[in-house]
Amino acid sequence: MSLDYVISADSHIIEPLDLWEKALGKKWGDKVPRVVDRYDGIPGNYYFFGYDYLDLGVVEPEDAADSTEESSAMDPELADKVNRSNQDPALRLELMEMDGVQAEIVNSTFALLCMRIEHPQLVQDVCRVYNDWIVEYCSHDPKRLLASGMLPPDDVDWAVAELERLAKKDVRTVFIYTDVKPHMPPYRDPYYDRLWAAAADLDIPVTIHIVAGRIRDPFTIIHDHERGDVARLWLELFSDAGPILANEFIFGGIFDRHPKLKLILGEYEICWLPWFLFRTQQLQGAVANSLKVTPVKKSVQEYLHTQVWHSFVDDKFADRAFDVAGATQVMWGSDFPHPRNTFPHSHEVLNRVLANVDDETRANVVGLNCARLFNMEVPAPARAAAE
């Protein structure tokens, strides 16, 4: 089926390798994120994120496929364009046209991994440098390239001030830690209420995304002797949002105190949601009294259908979870330009994974839900197609 209006709610960008070294090298020295030629005695081409390391070969473009299938190498000329588009927004727009994508939410790559840095001030500095850079990049065409910002919430005064600064620059969403760090109070603590209130008042959704939490990204594994943990890390990485959503935002009372707050769960797909709903309904049912669960104002599903949005890439079981997630709460994202992204065959992948979905839901999921969430202009024909 033809997909007339497609927006990627979760695309990415590979930051300049010297972005933070240029801006912060004098202040932070060897703690700054940068390219290094050695990891634990192993020579190579690595990126140091202030905590983890990555073999830079991992971020080379891959061809599109369902992520349960093997990808093939991208044509070298096209791969070169993909790499150059990280610095050239005009070229990125050309690639979007090739892929049939009208607009993208542009999220970080390296800054996401920098969220695991242990020093709060360094994380703040890294994120502020990134925020200024991504705003400048997306300013080339802000109606088609929508910037997201990074917002470590250790210091709520800093976080609220940065959020207000980014709102003036038309940043559309901000990424917080997936989970708090050991030195921080839990998100349900009133300490963060000013941040949630500011995000709600400014109508800027807060995003929790994979790799911005405590779970190590398995792509950062370099030593062969560590690869025995890949399966565990892979499953944990895509499972770490559910406990935070339930414990902090729903049963922790954040949504009740801030009913206009919008939360995006980025790149977790949605096939896990039926299990999540079943187990959280138990906490409002038979086991609530015995576990002395603090009552909340709504059912879990009501929170899901009004305050939570999800992005997915190629979840082949997505059509089994739309009723749980709410068909207006799910947004497709290409994950461009990462390995497992759908470029340059996004329409083929979407038609495959949404084959059993009705036309209205399909139109909403591939573009209109994202447009409504971020107050984007939608062409009249696209609106009509979903009616």
Side-chain angles (χ1 to χ4, degrees):
M1 175 182 175
S2 174
L3 301 172
D4 297 320
Y5 185 66
V6 177
I7 301 174
S8 173
D10 191 353
S11 293
H12 291 265
I13 193 164
I14 308 294
E15 297 90 330
L17 299 182
D18 60 355
L19 178 64
W20 293 289
E21 192 169 21
K22 280 185 175 179
L24 302 172
K26 289 183 179 179
K27 179 177 180 180
W28 288 102
D30 62 3
K31 295 181 177 64
V32 75
R34 67 196 190 281
V35 176
V36 296
D37 61 7
R38 189 169 296 273
Y39 167 74
D40 198 21
I42 305 173
N45 191 30
Y46 307 107
Y47 201 86
F48 171 58
F49 297 105
Y51 187 84
D52 292 312
Y53 292 77
L54 179 78
D55 184 334
L56 282 169
V58 168
V59 294
E60 287 300 310
E62 296 282 342
D63 201 357
D66 283 340
S67 58
T68 53
E69 304 293 334
E70 186 175 350
S71 293
S72 58
M74 186 179 289
D75 173 82
E77 184 176 346
L78 183 56
D80 176 65
K81 286 184 177 181
V82 170
N83 283 328
R84 288 190 288 114
S85 74
N86 290 305
Q87 309 297 320
D88 183 348
L91 181 55
R92 187 183 187 102
L93 292 173
E94 289 182 23
L95 296 178
M96 289 164 58
E97 292 284 352
M98 177 190 298
D99 204 26
V101 174
Q102 279 69 46
E104 291 184 331
I105 309 299
V106 184
N107 300 326
S108 72
T109 298
F110 289 176
L112 268 173
L113 286 155
C114 288
M115 294 289 259
R116 280 166 54 80
I117 293 172
E118 294 179 330
H119 196 299
Q121 182 63 56
L122 176 53
V123 181
Q124 288 177 6
D125 287 352
V126 164
C127 290
R128 190 177 177 98
V129 168
Y130 169 80
N131 291 341
D132 288 340
W133 178 79
I134 195 62
V135 165
E136 176 64 25
Y137 180 94
C138 291
S139 68
H140 178 80
D141 189 344
K143 290 187 177 181
R144 299 190 64 196
L145 301 173
L146 286 74
S148 66
M150 305 300 297
L151 198 75
D154 312 63
D155 180 339
V156 166
D157 290 338
W158 182 91
V160 170
E162 181 69 356
L163 177 64
E164 292 172 345
R165 187 180 78 93
L166 294 177
K168 295 175 182 177
K169 295 177 178 290
D170 202 27
V171 166
R172 301 305 184 95
T173 181
V174 290
F175 285 48
I176 61 172
Y177 301 137
T178 303
D179 194 2
V180 297
K181 297 182 178 180
H183 67 274
M184 300 167 62
Y187 281 143
R188 65 184 181 274
D189 192 283
Y191 173 73
Y192 303 100
D193 276 347
R194 287 197 304 111
L195 176 59
W196 313 136
D201 289 344
L202 293 167
D203 195 23
I204 295 181
V206 171
T207 294
I208 288 176
H209 194 282
I210 63 167
V211 313
R214 297 187 189 182
I215 307 301
R216 181 181 180 184
D217 184 345
F219 282 105
T220 66
I221 288 178
I222 297 172
H223 283 308
D224 287 341
H225 68 78
E226 296 179 298
R227 298 199 180 278
D229 289 329
V230 164
R232 175 180 61 80
L233 288 172
W234 185 253
L235 294 177
E236 288 180 350
L237 187 69
F238 288 94
S239 304
D240 65 349
I244 305 305
L245 171 62
N247 202 69
E248 307 302 316
F249 287 88
I250 298 177
F251 292 98
I254 295 174
F255 284 153
D256 282 347
R257 298 196 300 275
H258 305 278
K260 293 183 179 180
L261 178 66
K262 299 174 180 178
L263 180 70
I264 301 171
L265 302 186
E267 212 175 315
Y268 291 97
E269 316 289 357
I270 63 171
C271 60
W272 57 278
L273 283 168
W275 175 89
F276 174 86
L277 180 62
F278 172 65
R279 289 303 184 192
T280 51
Q281 283 178 332
Q282 290 180 319
L283 294 174
Q284 293 186 310
V287 302
N289 289 333
S290 57
L291 290 178
K292 299 181 180 179
V293 177
T294 301
V296 291
K297 294 179 180 179
K298 303 175 184 177
S299 70
V300 171
Q301 194 155 26
E302 286 180 276
Y303 294 112
L304 292 178
H305 285 199
T306 58
Q307 290 186 259
V308 186
W309 281 257
H310 306 267
S311 70
F312 79 99
V313 181
D314 61 350
D315 187 343
K316 63 174 55 180
F317 303 112
D319 57 358
R320 306 181 191 186
F322 282 119
D323 58 334
V324 176
T328 62
Q329 308 300 110
V330 181
M331 309 177 295
W332 169 78
S334 69
D335 201 33
F336 176 90
H338 295 167
R340 79 182 278 263
N341 80 90
T342 60
F343 173 85
H345 306 299
S346 292
H347 283 230
E348 295 174 28
V349 173
L350 283 167
N351 279 316
R352 193 157 58 240
V353 300
L354 298 177
N356 299 321
V357 176
D358 64 84
D359 291 349
E360 180 181 359
T361 298
R362 185 184 292 110
N364 281 326
V365 167
V366 304
L368 295 180
N369 288 343
C370 183
R372 284 189 287 264
L373 177 61
F374 293 110
N375 301 311
M376 301 170 64
E377 295 179 12
V378 179
R383 292 196 304 270
E387 293 174 354

